[in-house]
Amino acid sequence: MDLILCHTTADFDALGAAVGLTRLLSGSKIVLPGGSHPTVRDFLALHRDEYPLIERRSVNPEKIRSLTVVDTQQRDRLGKAAQWFDLPTVREIIVYDHHLGQESDIPATRSHIDSVGATTTLIVEQLQQQEISLTSAEATVMALGIHVDTGSLTYDQSTARDALALAWLMQQGASLSVISTYRDPGLSPQLQQLLTESLESLEYLCLHGYTVAWVTLKTEVFVPGLSSLASELVELTEIDALLLANEYPLGEEDSRLTVIGRSQIPKTNLNLLFQLLGGGGHSQAASLNLRGVNSQAILKQLLDGIKAQIPHPLTARDLMSSPVRTILPETTIAEAQRILLRYGHSGLFVVDTQGQLVGIISRRDIDIALHHGFSHAPVKGYMTKNLKTITPDTTLPQIESLMVTYDIGRLPVLENEQLMGIVTRTDVLRELHQERDEDEEDEQKFKIQNDAHRLANAALTKSKIPLRTELQNRLAPQLWQLLTTASQEAEKRGWHLYLVGGAVRDLLLTEAVAGTLMIKDIDLVVDGFHKSADVGAGVELAKALQQLYPMARLEIHGAFQTAALLWHKDPELDSLWVDIATARTEFYPYPAANPEVEASSIRQDLYRRDFTINAIALRLTSPRTGELLDFFGGLLDLQAKQIRVLHANSFIEDPTRIFRGVRFAVRFGFQIESQTEEFIRYAINSGVYDRTAQENSRTPALQTRLKTELKHILEAPYWKSALQLLDNLEALQCIHPSLKLDVEVLRQLRLLERCLRRFDPQPTLIHWEMRLETLIAHLTPEYRAKVAKNLQLQEDGIKRLQNLVCAQTEVMESLPKCQSPSQVVQLLRQYDLPMLILIAVQSLRSLRHQIWEYLTVWANVQPLLNGNDLKKLGYKPGPQYRQILDDMLAATLDGVIKDKTEAKEFLAQHYPK
């Protein structure tokens, strides 16, 4: 048996080199002695079957013929597999590495060590020399190894050999979509600098409710990618039209001007404006290039042209109704419900005693509050305070945009802070209906019950996502074909199909090279509610797709009305996960429970989600393929870089949303919107989580689902910032009411990180669990095991926290009494590394120093003679070997024995034959 060994916590370079070696060493197998990095682990979860990987425990040591080690020269980085070097059956040991200047303790018979950016490069060069071709899966993981270890050829240690190796791997079929999934290069530094400069220098003009912005950038040379910069600016700012000018010199007295235009304003046509100056494009996007002109004069001419094209709309004064029914903040939930039932309203405005508007409460918020037993609570605790309001001069397009973007059915009209009237969805629809169907005289037949759907389709949101043809050009062809096929199958049944959630969010946040974007995890939603589609619509569509894609595996989850199609090792789709669900609404029987779901519309499906940025959908079916559904302002929240919850009771129903909100905020660099923060604090301080835990045996959102969110946070590079934000929100109380991120906890976490870096640099421990155990260990002893069991930690972690007090007491009492290193070793070696780390971070400096010295020095000391030596000296093997070796170890630790000669003298003195 020929084995290839990666180091513990294998990275992509180790894995890629090992995969390449399996082609050089025919029949060899790869062993990961100590697991892999989280990203590699995620990769292997989908691709493991592509490579000849075997478990260490399945190896018969007697059959090992050769060992090849990649990306390390140290035995201690190979875990228990290092024992195989001493086997008599091993005839050859080969080392491949790119770390120069290291002293190797591996008994290699042959070594290949050279100064390149990645070990994988050395393997590629040998494959090229032997003219061995690769599969796409093999080329992909090897390319990932070079990309990750060289920073995509940007790190100082990168060489031309690495670049040539990457080029060859691309020729062998390395998947760029997979590589981009695990290695995202981001914007170029030059464009990032210009983006910052543009945001600081943008000038604005507001006209008829629309915002036009312009900026001139002066550079030394031509800058490629300005169109991407223009798109980024439009995404990051709330503007309706943009003129981006770039001026750079061609000589001492000559210059070139490039202008890029973007517009989302109806009835404007940039193509006509730019054609007048020799440019052109489309109505919403155009550009021009000129030499030797006055840049400011050109920019003014284009700006004047846009201003002349902007239409003059109606205003709220022309549309509003008056007076408006209101309630006071002290009105109870029960009374508000009675008013809604009496007058048939779907929401009520809340005003103070001076008649000033302070909030609005919807029927849904009232229903949820009643369900959770808050009928006597005042509406001020549940009303939405961050209202969208308008003035009498607000234009119709602005009103239309607000209603569609934020899913608002009514907008209060304020003048001098007084509520003057209300513009409803019906008011807007009536005007739109008259504009589009001027010849229709029978307005009495206009169906009010269809208003919401008509309005959603009547107004185009400020979508920055590609429409049909742009989307097709941007996505990988095979993925576009799959989505097209799925939409066609939905259309046959009269259903709508949408791409939803994180995939849409990430499309809005990132840019991709045309024709190469291959999303690996897709969520699709079938909306057939208008066609009376039952709960099985998503499952039916998934089954139909599997008939067309028989290589996909079908999984059905009936309780949640979802189905999943999974591709693995597919020649076109590679490894792809597609979830297909029926559009649904959900109902929580009690706070922190799992929701009960039922079929509904796409709008209700999006409303049940956690935050606005995740409640965006992209329509895939005709006639409006590529239309963005953003009922709740998710796009604007992405642009504003804020996390906003969808409804007031969201956190009461599901506390894990608090942790997800924090995770998204820290991950993307967003802020939690002020009212969302208020809702978080209200839910935590209401005591509802304690009550529901006492009244219900199962509270998944405070148990398994909470653990999952903690895992996502604590294994991320931003975990410290996330914990600090959770503590600021007092959300750590969801773990236990007494848990706070005080100075002592922060100190212990810092010490923990030092310990993990020093004693577990290539993680064999699960670091996120160690961080969570450290937090739990800060609780008083009687709560530790209970909290660990509630979060369903691993059994060894629960036992560790359960036994921590006893272990800590013994160490604290006995360690100061130890007079020699051997006594310290005898005391501490009974505990494993995780327990010693937990004890150390909670100990005084003096005790922690002794534990540190034990782990750093004394634990690594071995007797100067081993069992083989004793046998050669004539000692018969038996139980006394253990005592002899222990005594010799103690003498070595205490300095009594310093070399083998003294060891033999010690042996003769204390254990005469």
Side-chain angles (χ1 to χ4, degrees):
M1 178 181 290
D2 300 311
L3 299 181
I4 301 168
L5 303 181
C6 298
H7 53 70
T8 54
T9 317
D11 56 18
F12 275 117
D13 189 29
L15 180 62
V19 168
L21 278 169
T22 61
R23 300 303 305 276
L24 290 170
L25 306 173
S26 180
S28 57
K29 304 295 183 182
I30 302 172
V31 177
L32 305 180
S36 56
H37 276 294
T39 309
V40 176
R41 187 164 59 245
D42 293 343
F43 174 85
L44 287 176
L46 295 175
H47 302 272
R48 178 176 293 274
D49 294 342
E50 308 271 5
Y51 314 115
L53 291 161
I54 61 173
E55 299 286 340
R56 179 182 58 81
R57 58 188 177 184
S58 69
V59 175
N60 184 347
E62 296 178 358
K63 295 185 177 181
I64 300 176
R65 295 179 303 177
S66 71
L67 294 169
T68 302
V69 181
V70 295
D71 205 35
T72 185
Q73 302 170 53
Q74 308 300 319
R75 292 175 65 113
D76 61 2
R77 293 197 64 195
L78 296 168
K80 293 182 178 180
Q83 300 170 357
W84 296 339
F85 293 136
D86 303 321
L87 295 173
T89 57
V90 176
R91 298 195 300 268
E92 188 174 32
I93 300 174
I94 309 170
V95 173
Y96 285 85
D97 195 24
H98 69 122
H99 301 102
L100 299 182
Q102 293 191 359
E103 184 176 348
S104 176
D105 57 358
I106 296 175
T109 58
R110 188 152 45 98
S111 296
H112 300 271
I113 303 171
D114 207 344
S115 179
V116 289
T119 303
T120 304
T121 298
L122 302 176
I123 312 302
V124 169
E125 291 174 343
Q126 291 196 11
L127 289 168
Q128 289 177 286
Q129 291 171 6
Q130 299 186 30
E131 298 183 351
I132 297 175
S133 61
L134 303 176
T135 66
S136 176
E138 292 165 342
T140 298
V141 72
M142 294 181 72
L144 266 171
I146 298 175
H147 269 286
V148 172
D149 253 36
T150 65
S152 295
L153 305 178
T154 63
Y155 295 164
D156 290 341
Q157 70 266 25
S158 304
T159 68
R161 293 166 64 184
D162 299 301
L164 292 171
L166 269 180
W168 183 78
L169 290 171
M170 292 178 65
Q171 292 174 342
Q172 294 294 307
S175 172
L176 294 179
S177 61
V178 174
I179 293 170
S180 66
T181 299
Y182 296 93
R183 182 70 182 177
D184 185 3
L187 277 178
S188 70
Q190 185 178 24
L191 287 179
Q192 291 178 11
Q193 179 62 36
L194 290 176
L195 175 62
T196 302
E197 182 180 340
S198 299
L199 291 171
E200 294 174 350
S201 305
L202 272 178
E203 297 183 73
Y204 298 88
L205 168 70
C206 293
L207 182 65
H208 306 322
Y210 296 104
T211 301
V212 180
W214 65 97
V215 64
T216 300
L217 301 173
K218 294 189 177 183
T219 59
E220 295 298 323
V221 294
F222 168 74
V223 178
L226 284 177
S227 59
S228 300
L229 176 60
S231 299
E232 189 76 3
L233 280 171
V234 174
E235 287 182 6
L236 292 175
T237 56
E238 295 185 6
I239 58 176
D240 303 292
L242 170 70
L243 292 175
L244 172 64
N246 174 222
E247 187 176 15
Y248 57 95
L250 293 177
E252 294 184 358
E253 299 181 359
D254 197 5
S255 64
R256 181 178 290 275
L257 175 68
T258 298
V259 183
I260 296 174
R262 297 286 186 269
S263 176
Q264 300 291 331
I265 303 174
K267 300 183 180 179
T268 56
N269 191 323
L270 295 182
N271 183 43
L272 293 176
L273 292 178
F274 278 63
Q275 280 183 346
L276 296 174
L277 295 169
H282 304 282
S283 60
Q284 295 184 325
S287 64
L288 60 81
N289 290 283
L290 299 172
R291 290 184 61 172
V293 296
N294 185 321
S295 60
Q296 294 307 306
I298 296 296
L299 204 58
K300 183 179 183 304
Q301 182 177 343
L302 291 171
L303 186 61
D304 290 342
I306 292 177
K307 290 162 59 177
Q309 289 184 346
I310 297 177
H312 294 252
L314 295 172
T315 65
R317 195 183 304 275
D318 305 313
L319 302 170
M320 71 180 188
S321 305
S322 185
V324 183
R325 192 174 304 280
T326 61
I327 57 174
L328 294 173
E330 291 72 28
T331 305
T332 65
I333 293 291
E335 177 63 12
Q337 183 201 35
R338 188 189 68 80
I339 295 172
L340 286 180
L341 292 174
R342 179 172 182 177
Y343 296 105
H345 294 335
S346 58
L348 292 169
F349 287 111
V350 184
V351 298
D352 60 19
T353 54
Q354 284 75 42
Q356 293 188 348
L357 183 67
V358 293
I360 186 173
I361 188 165
S362 70
R363 181 186 299 278
R364 179 178 174 83
D365 291 336
I366 289 175
D367 288 344
I368 294 175
L370 289 170
H371 172 71
H372 294 310
F374 291 94
S375 61
H376 299 295
V379 297
K380 63 183 179 182
Y382 292 86
M383 67 185 184
T384 298
K385 300 175 185 177
N386 188 17
L387 294 180
K388 299 299 177 184
T389 63
I390 56 177
T391 68
D393 296 323
T394 303
T395 62
L396 177 59
Q398 291 174 308
I399 296 170
E400 182 184 352
S401 178
L402 282 170
M403 287 184 168
V404 173
T405 301
Y406 292 98
D407 191 37
I408 301 172
R410 61 200 65 80
L411 284 169
V413 183
L414 300 185
E415 189 170 34
N416 298 324
E417 299 186 353
Q418 294 296 309
L419 184 60
M420 304 299 296
I422 181 174
V423 175
T424 67
R425 182 180 283 124
T426 302
D427 298 326
V428 174
L429 281 167
R430 185 176 293 111
E431 186 60 39
L432 293 172
H433 184 67
Q434 290 173 351
E435 287 181 359
R436 294 169 186 174
D437 300 293
E438 293 179 355
D439 296 331
E440 182 176 326
E441 298 178 354
D442 194 8
E443 289 188 2
Q444 298 90 317
K445 296 180 181 179
F446 185 62
K447 302 292 185 180
I448 298 300
Q449 60 265 35
N450 292 330
D451 283 354
H453 182 67
R454 289 286 302 276
L455 179 56
N457 297 330
L460 292 176
T461 61
K462 299 178 183 179
S463 169
K464 305 300 183 296
I465 200 75
L467 297 181
R468 182 181 179 88
T469 55
E470 295 169 310
L471 183 64
Q472 180 175 355
N473 292 333
R474 183 171 178 179
L475 290 176
Q478 62 271 33
L479 181 56
W480 173 255
Q481 182 57 52
L482 171 64
L483 296 178
T484 300
T485 301
S487 65
Q488 290 170 349
E489 290 298 315
E491 287 174 357
K492 289 179 183 178
R493 294 160 175 79
W495 300 336
H496 302 312
L497 186 65
Y498 299 89
L499 179 68
V500 299
V504 181
R505 179 199 67 219
D506 293 342
L507 278 171
L508 290 164
L509 285 174
T510 60
E511 290 190 12
V513 178
T516 62
L517 185 59
M518 183 68 183
I519 303 171
K520 308 301 292 183
D521 192 352
I522 291 176
D523 288 320
L524 299 177
V525 168
V526 181
D527 181 6
F529 199 64
H530 64 293
K531 289 286 187 179
S532 300
D534 61 19
V535 295
V539 175
E540 180 181 337
L541 180 60
K543 289 180 177 178
L545 280 176
Q546 194 197 28
Q547 295 298 314
L548 301 172
Y549 291 89
M551 291 295 293
R553 177 164 59 91
L554 175 65
E555 291 184 358
I556 297 175
H557 310 285
F560 297 100
Q561 305 171 25
T562 63
L565 290 173
L566 294 83
W567 284 262
H568 188 55
K569 297 190 298 185
D570 187 83
E572 290 189 356
L573 295 172
D574 198 15
S575 293
L576 175 66
W577 184 297
V578 178
D579 269 312
I580 306 177
T582 307
R584 51 198 170 146
T585 187
E586 63 186 23
F587 174 79
Y588 287 81
Y590 54 87
N594 279 332
E596 299 172 0
V597 298
E598 61 183 43
S600 185
S601 65
I602 183 64
R603 181 180 176 278
Q604 289 297 317
D605 188 275
L606 295 174
Y607 186 73
R608 72 180 180 82
R609 296 172 186 270
D610 46 16
F611 304 102
T612 59
I613 63 172
N614 295 327
I616 307 171
L618 186 69
R619 179 162 167 160
L620 299 174
T621 44
S622 59
R624 294 186 304 278
T625 303
E627 179 186 24
L628 190 70
L629 272 65
D630 180 22
F631 296 113
F632 314 111
L635 179 59
L636 294 182
D637 286 333
L638 282 175
Q639 294 172 336
K641 295 187 176 182
Q642 68 176 7
I643 305 296
R644 183 165 58 87
V645 77
L646 288 172
H647 59 84
N649 290 278
S650 182
F651 302 116
I652 288 176
E653 292 181 335
D654 187 356
T656 62
R657 288 172 177 161
I658 299 173
F659 290 75
R660 282 203 300 278
V662 167
R663 176 158 58 89
F664 289 137
V666 179
R667 173 187 170 189
F668 296 125
F670 286 12
Q671 295 292 319
I672 296 178
E673 181 258 345
S674 59
Q675 187 169 37
T676 298
E677 182 176 334
E678 289 183 22
F679 289 147
I680 290 174
R681 295 186 184 279
Y682 180 83
I684 292 171
N685 295 328
S686 69
V688 65
Y689 303 146
D690 291 336
R691 291 197 302 272
T692 194
Q694 294 171 6
E695 296 170 359
N696 302 279
S697 59
R698 291 188 69 254
T699 52
L702 293 170
Q703 296 170 323
T704 52
R705 282 163 40 208
L706 178 57
K707 174 191 172 184
T708 299
E709 285 304 320
L710 287 168
K711 175 181 182 293
H712 290 322
I713 288 172
L714 292 173
E715 69 182 5
Y718 48 76
W719 66 270
K720 291 181 184 177
S721 300
L723 278 184
Q724 289 171 340
L725 181 52
L726 285 168
D727 181 65
N728 178 263
L729 295 169
E730 300 181 329
L732 294 178
Q733 293 183 31
C734 294
I735 301 174
H736 190 269
S738 66
L739 185 57
K740 295 183 182 299
L741 202 65
D742 57 25
V743 174
E744 179 59 23
V745 176
L746 290 172
R747 185 188 71 86
Q748 292 179 14
L749 287 171
R750 286 195 298 271
L751 290 172
L752 171 69
E753 292 307 297
R754 289 179 58 193
C755 290
L756 293 176
R757 285 195 302 270
R758 181 63 181 84
F759 305 122
D760 196 35
Q762 302 298 327
T764 58
L765 305 177
I766 302 176
H767 287 194
W768 77 264
E769 287 187 351
M770 289 299 302
R771 292 168 187 140
L772 182 54
E773 286 183 31
T774 302
L775 288 173
I776 296 174
H778 189 62
L779 301 174
T780 53
E782 64 266 29
Y783 297 127
R784 294 169 181 169
K786 181 179 178 181
V787 170
K789 291 176 182 177
N790 183 66
L791 293 175
Q792 299 182 15
L793 297 189
Q794 296 188 53
E795 190 62 32
D796 60 343
I798 296 174
K799 289 182 180 178
R800 190 158 41 247
L801 290 164
Q802 201 166 21
N803 299 330
L804 178 59
V805 171
C806 293
Q808 193 172 25
T809 300
E810 182 179 3
V811 170
M812 291 179 66
E813 291 179 354
S814 302
L815 195 56
K817 300 175 183 178
C818 293
Q819 301 299 315
S820 64
S822 62
Q823 292 177 337
V824 174
V825 171
Q826 186 176 4
L827 171 66
L828 297 182
R829 69 181 178 184
Q830 62 183 307
Y831 303 111
D832 61 9
L833 177 61
M835 178 65 86
L836 287 176
I837 289 176
L838 287 183
I839 294 173
V841 300
Q842 291 194 348
S843 298
L844 297 174
R845 182 187 295 272
S846 57
L847 294 181
R848 190 167 64 251
H849 176 75
Q850 287 182 282
I851 296 173
W852 185 280
E853 192 165 8
Y854 164 74
L855 292 171
T856 306
V857 181
W858 297 332
N860 299 317
V861 175
Q862 298 295 326
L864 293 174
L865 300 178
N866 57 30
N868 291 331
D869 297 324
L870 295 180
K871 189 175 181 180
K872 291 177 182 178
L873 291 171
Y875 290 88
K876 293 183 179 181
Q880 67 170 343
Y881 269 33
R882 170 54 58 190
Q883 185 62 48
I884 293 173
L885 293 175
D886 283 348
D887 289 346
M888 291 184 65
L889 175 61
T892 304
L893 286 165
D894 296 338
V896 175
I897 297 174
K898 299 181 179 61
D899 53 38
K900 286 191 175 184
T901 300
E902 292 183 356
K904 292 176 181 179
E905 293 174 356
F906 177 89
L907 190 62
Q909 179 182 354
H910 293 83
Y911 292 96
K913 297 178 186 177

